[in-house]
């Protein structure tokens, strides 16, 4: 069995783990990232929500409950993380707009104004008031976008349908990567005689960065994307930009590999062994970062008997009461008890009550993060990812 | 004001069965249902077409009715009955004497049985608990109660029967000391419908007492809540029963791609707004897990509860399961009849007796019943099991779990002009699989809206209503992978779609 050795081994290939990896790599550390598969952010809007329901996320962080992980990062840390994220995206040719001081709005596929902070350039024009004129371009046979849900809220809305010859979100987006297809689309668009107002399209305008920019130039109108039901192309673009950044800096990525066993030396974690198709790889690390996410990505697992398990290191997980108390009765109300479940950490992001000195935890697996309730999922991911990396670096020094 | 011969209150299996029977005997009728088809006990049962085995020891009369009706329904309802066969499994510790009594009783009422060794039983159902003692094979079947109601309704409608769904009866019209009709309110528009008839049949199941009270009568009935769970796999191809006196969680029924298990039995006073308790889910999975151990590790996709309307026996009844599962027809002597008790498996027989009674006593004539001889109409549009039959036209799949295509959805909309997601679900099984409509309902409502059947606002409203209803069913089974999926669905609708309560 092959053994590799790293300064830091990051388990979890979502935004949080990737941001931690980028931060450590830029500080000269030898880093590996292990991921079971592509992360949950590929299903998200691609926007970075920092804190919803407020005008300024930065000014309102202090109002969060005192055990919220944002307090461990602090506003300065959130800003540093956002800055790093924006520069990585810029380098990838996937520009974002917005900042941490002021929330902005995009148009949701439900026709409502959705609050968020950092927004891909392709959604920059998505802040629409109900009395504005909206033109929606829809794609024939597309099954995860129906313009009716969007236009219901608008008094002046027109819908135009283009036939891309394929119905899946990824299929249409891949077609947009092709300049010949784009040319056909542009000439169809110009023949429609679409009058004033902004032009919205489901988020399928290319899987690659820069496709949107080119299309916007050719169409010469204020166009923007509306996020779709999963799979989400803007989420995928963001994930690919982060991953490419790491690949370009020579970070070892163990993709499609799950941690099979963990070795400890006294209290410290020494190595993890990865399962693979007929082969195992043992990876030694001086330090480890756990960024496996919450339930959806499988970082946490809730059992019928009311116990919540952490999947990789079997860390003690905080459980908010018995099973009956995990969920309220109203689907449309966030803040279900189960959102508080996760790993409790000290101010160095080390798991409480374990005595493990070289493990740092970040992202939505952190207890009390309540990402649905506070609309802080990706914001928490980048902020705690970078903050945990900083603590890890201090430890390595 | 509408005049007809018979008003039926209740669109469960009994009411729909009565409508079909009346139609085949040429009697005009209207049916009023406060919700959708099969919204009460009919739609919230196992979907088990009993062989009668379960009642053979305790209630031979009911067992005899079951086996007779079982043979009739598998003949007339090919597309809504799956002839699975069933097993009664005896586990370590279950009485052997009970097994002997069971075999004798089945024999006495005419239920074919075959005693199987543990090995033979495992050959039929490989996931059975390997420590079982033996099993008895019986002719149980799985039945789709939604389709059953729908198909009965089609025969009625083909012959002039009228169905008023989503109409709630709020008043009886009384004239000269008799009940001359009813007033019902459309639950969507609030409009009042006035119906008059020569006779009113109260077939509202668990709501029977409420309806009777409204007319100034009482009914000797009691309500018992039974909760069930659905797994995301078909863990058995045969119905599995526990070979012991009826108890909690001792039935598992395969239904298309999933499995249902239940039930519990808890006395309740009110048939509305019931919830499934976490403890009930634990009881059912534990007991089902004794027969099929994989039940303990398989993902549950939903839990639901229904109310059995049971006949109150003479004297005191302490255990709900000892209360008779037979049925009774009561003539209130003022133009109304109530039919109460019974079970899904004998719905046709109940309808036959009910119609015989009103024909004789009200219409003073006899017309022979044909419901046992003629196949249910409208089955040509149904796909039936197995799922692989649907693989022929795989293009443009809208519901990945149940392989329902855009064409399937569009053809239901075109054929019956529906604007209700429930109508599409019951006809195509859209949304009945592991994701429980989490992905496809958005699409199906989008298609209904594209076809101009509902406005954009209505599609959003219907989606909200659906998501809340879905959550109600899923909530009691939220742990493991189902919890994962639920949080993903929350992410989609509350975060991406931004549908959170403002």
């Amino acid at each position: 069995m092959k053994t590799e050795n790293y300064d830091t081994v990051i388990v979890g290939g979502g935004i949080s783990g990737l941001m931690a990896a980028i931060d450590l790599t830029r500080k000269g550390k030898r880093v590996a990232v292990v991921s079971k598969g592509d992360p949950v952010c590929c299903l998200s809007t691609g926007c970075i929500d920092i804190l919803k329901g407020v005008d300024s996320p930065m000014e309102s962080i202090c109002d969060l409950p005192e055990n919220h992980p944002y307090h461990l990062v602090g506003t300065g840390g959130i800003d540093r993380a956002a800055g790093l994220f924006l520069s990585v995206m810029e380098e990838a040719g996937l520009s974002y707009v917005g900042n941490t001081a002021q929330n902005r709005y995009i148009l949701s596929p439900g026709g409502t104004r959705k609050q968020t902070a950092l927004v891909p350039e392709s959604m920059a024009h998505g802040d629409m008031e109900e009395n504005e004129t909206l033109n929606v371009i829809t794609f024939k046979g597309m099954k995860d976008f129906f313009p009716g849900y969007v236009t219901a809220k608008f008094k002046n809305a027109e819908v135009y349908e283009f036939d891309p010859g394929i119905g899946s979100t990824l299929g249409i987006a891949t077609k947009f990567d092709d300049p010949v297809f784009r040319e056909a689309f542009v000439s169809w668009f110009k023949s429609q005689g679409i009058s004033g107002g902004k032009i919205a399209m489901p988020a399928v305008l290319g899987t690659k960065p820069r496709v949107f920019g080119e299309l916007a130039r050719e169409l010469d109108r204020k166009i923007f994307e509306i996020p779709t039901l999963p799979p989400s192309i803007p989420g995928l673009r963001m994930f690919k930009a982060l991953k490419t950044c790491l690949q370009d800096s020579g970070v070892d990525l163990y993709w499609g590999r799950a941690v099979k066993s963990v070795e400890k030396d006294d209290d410290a974690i020494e190595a993890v062994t990865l399962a693979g198709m007929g082969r195992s790889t043992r990876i030694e690390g001086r330090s480890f970062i756990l960024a496996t996410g919450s339930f959806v990505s499988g970082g946490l697992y809730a059992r019928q008997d009311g116990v919540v398990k952490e999947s990789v290191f079997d860390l003690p997980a905080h459980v908010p009461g018995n099973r009956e108390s995990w969920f309220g009765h109203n689907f449309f109300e966030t803040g279900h008890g189960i959102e508080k479940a996760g790993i409790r950490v000290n101010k160095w992001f080390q798991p409480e009550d374990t005595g493990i000195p070289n493990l740092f935890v970040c992202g939505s697996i952190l207890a009390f993060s309540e990402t649905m309730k506070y609309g802080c999922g990706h914001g928490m991911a980048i902020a705690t990812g970078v903050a945990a990396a900083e603590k890890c670096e201090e430890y390595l020094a | 004001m509408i005049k007809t011969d018979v008003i039926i209150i209740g669109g469960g299996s009994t009411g729909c069965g009565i409508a079909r029977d009346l139609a085949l005997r040429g009697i005009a009728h209207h049916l009023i249902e406060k919700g959708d088809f099969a919204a009460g006990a009919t739609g919230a049962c196992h979907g088990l077409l009993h062989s009668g085995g379960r009642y053979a020891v305790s209630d031979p009369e009911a067992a005899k009715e079951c086996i007779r009706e079982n043979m009739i329904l598998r003949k007339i309802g090919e597309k809504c009955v799956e002839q699975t066969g069933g097993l009664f499994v005896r586990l370590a510790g279950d009485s052997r004497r009970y097994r002997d009594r069971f075999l004798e009783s089945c024999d006495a009422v005419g239920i074919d049985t075959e005693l199987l060794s543990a090995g033979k039983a495992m050959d039929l159902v490989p996931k059975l608990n390997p420590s079982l003692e033996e099993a008895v094979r019986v002719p149980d079947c799985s039945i789709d109660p939604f389709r059953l109601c729908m198909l009965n309704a089609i025969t009625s409608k083909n012959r002039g029967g009228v169905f008023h769904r989503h109409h709630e009866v709020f008043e009886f019209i009384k004239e000269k000391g008799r009940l001359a009709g009813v007033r019902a309110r459309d639950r969507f528009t609030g409009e009042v419908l006035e119906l008059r008839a020569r006779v009113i049949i109260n077939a509202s199941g668990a709501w029977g007492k409420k309806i009777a009270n409204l007319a100034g009568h009482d009914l000797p009935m009691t309500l018992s809540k039974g909760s069930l769970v659905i797994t995301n796999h078909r863990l058995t191809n045969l119905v599995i029963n526990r070979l012991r006196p009826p108890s909690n969680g001792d039935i598992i029924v395969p239904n298309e791609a999933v499995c249902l298990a239940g039930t519990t039995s808890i006395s309740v006073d009110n048939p509305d707004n019931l919830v499934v308790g976490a403890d009930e889910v634990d009881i059912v999975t534990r007991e089902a897990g004794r027969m099929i151990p994989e039940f303990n590790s398989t993902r549950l996709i939903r839990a639901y509860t229904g109310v059995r309307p049971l006949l109150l026996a003479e004297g005191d009844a302490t255990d709900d399961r000892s209360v008779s599962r037979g049925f009774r027809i009561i003539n209130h002597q003022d133009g109304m009849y109530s039919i109460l008790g019974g079970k899904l498996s004998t719905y046709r027989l109940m309808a036959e007796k009910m119609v015989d009674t009103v024909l004789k006593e009200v219409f003073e004539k006899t017309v022979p019943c044909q419901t046992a001889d003629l196949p249910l109409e409208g089955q040509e549009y149904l796909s039936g099991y197995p799922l692989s039959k649907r693989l022929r036209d795989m293009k443009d799949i809208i519901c990945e779990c149940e392989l329902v295509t855009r064409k399937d959805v569009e053809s239901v909309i075109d054929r019956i002009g529906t604007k209700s997601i429930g109508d599409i679900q019951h006809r195509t099984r859209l949304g009945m699989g592991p994701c429980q409509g989490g992905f496809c309902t958005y699409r199906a409502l989008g298609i209904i809206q594209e076809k101009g059947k509902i406005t954009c606002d209505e599609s959003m409203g219907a989606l909200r209503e659906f998501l809340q209803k879905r959550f109600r069913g899923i909530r009691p089974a939220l742990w493991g992978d189902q919890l994962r999926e639920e949080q993903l669905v929350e992410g989609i609708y509350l975060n991406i779609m931004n549908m959170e309560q403002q």
Side-chain angles (χ1 to χ4, degrees), chain B residues 87 89 125 128 236 238-242 250-252 291-292:
Chain B
L87 295 180
V89 299
V125 182
L128 275 180
T236 167
L238 273 72
V239 174
I240 307 294
N241 308 264
R242 183 88 175 264
D250 50 8
I251 300 179
I252 303 172
M291 298 188 284
I292 295 183

Side-chain angles (χ1 to χ4, degrees), chain B residues 36 55 75 84 116 118 135 222 226 237 243 278 291 297 302 310 339 358 414 435 492 495:
Chain B
D36 202 346
Y55 306 108
K75 193 180 70 196
T84 56
L116 304 174
T222 173
N237 276 326
L243 186 50
M291 298 188 284
S297 54
R302 194 158 75 86
L310 299 176
I339 178 159
V358 294
D414 290 344
C435 89
I492 292 172
N495 188 330

Side-chain angles (χ1 to χ4, degrees), chain B residues 60-75:
Chain B
E61 213 37 55
K64 219 180 279 175
E65 288 170 5
C66 280
I67 187 64
R68 230 171 24 227
E69 290 302 308
N70 178 307
M71 293 301 153
I72 292 170
L73 289 182
R74 55 170 80 198
K75 193 180 70 196

Side-chain angles (χ1 to χ4, degrees), chain B residues 183-203:
Chain B
R183 289 193 183 92
R185 192 172 283 119
D186 185 318
R187 290 176 54 156
F188 294 131
T189 65
E191 251 170 80
V192 173
L193 170 78
E194 194 175 307
L195 280 172
R196 283 164 185 261
R198 290 174 67 182
V199 60
I200 299 166
I201 298 174
N202 171 18

Side-chain angles (χ1 to χ4, degrees), chain B residues 268-284:
Chain B
V268 290
D269 296 328
N270 190 336
D272 292 303
N273 302 320
L274 296 170
V275 287
V276 185
D279 51 338
E280 290 183 89
V281 173
D282 290 345
I283 290 170
V284 170

Side-chain angles (χ1 to χ4, degrees), chain B residues 4-23:
Chain B
T4 184
D5 286 334
V6 181
I7 294 168
I8 307 159
I9 304 173
S13 56
T14 313
C16 292
I18 292 169
R20 171 171 178 257
D21 199 324
L22 286 169

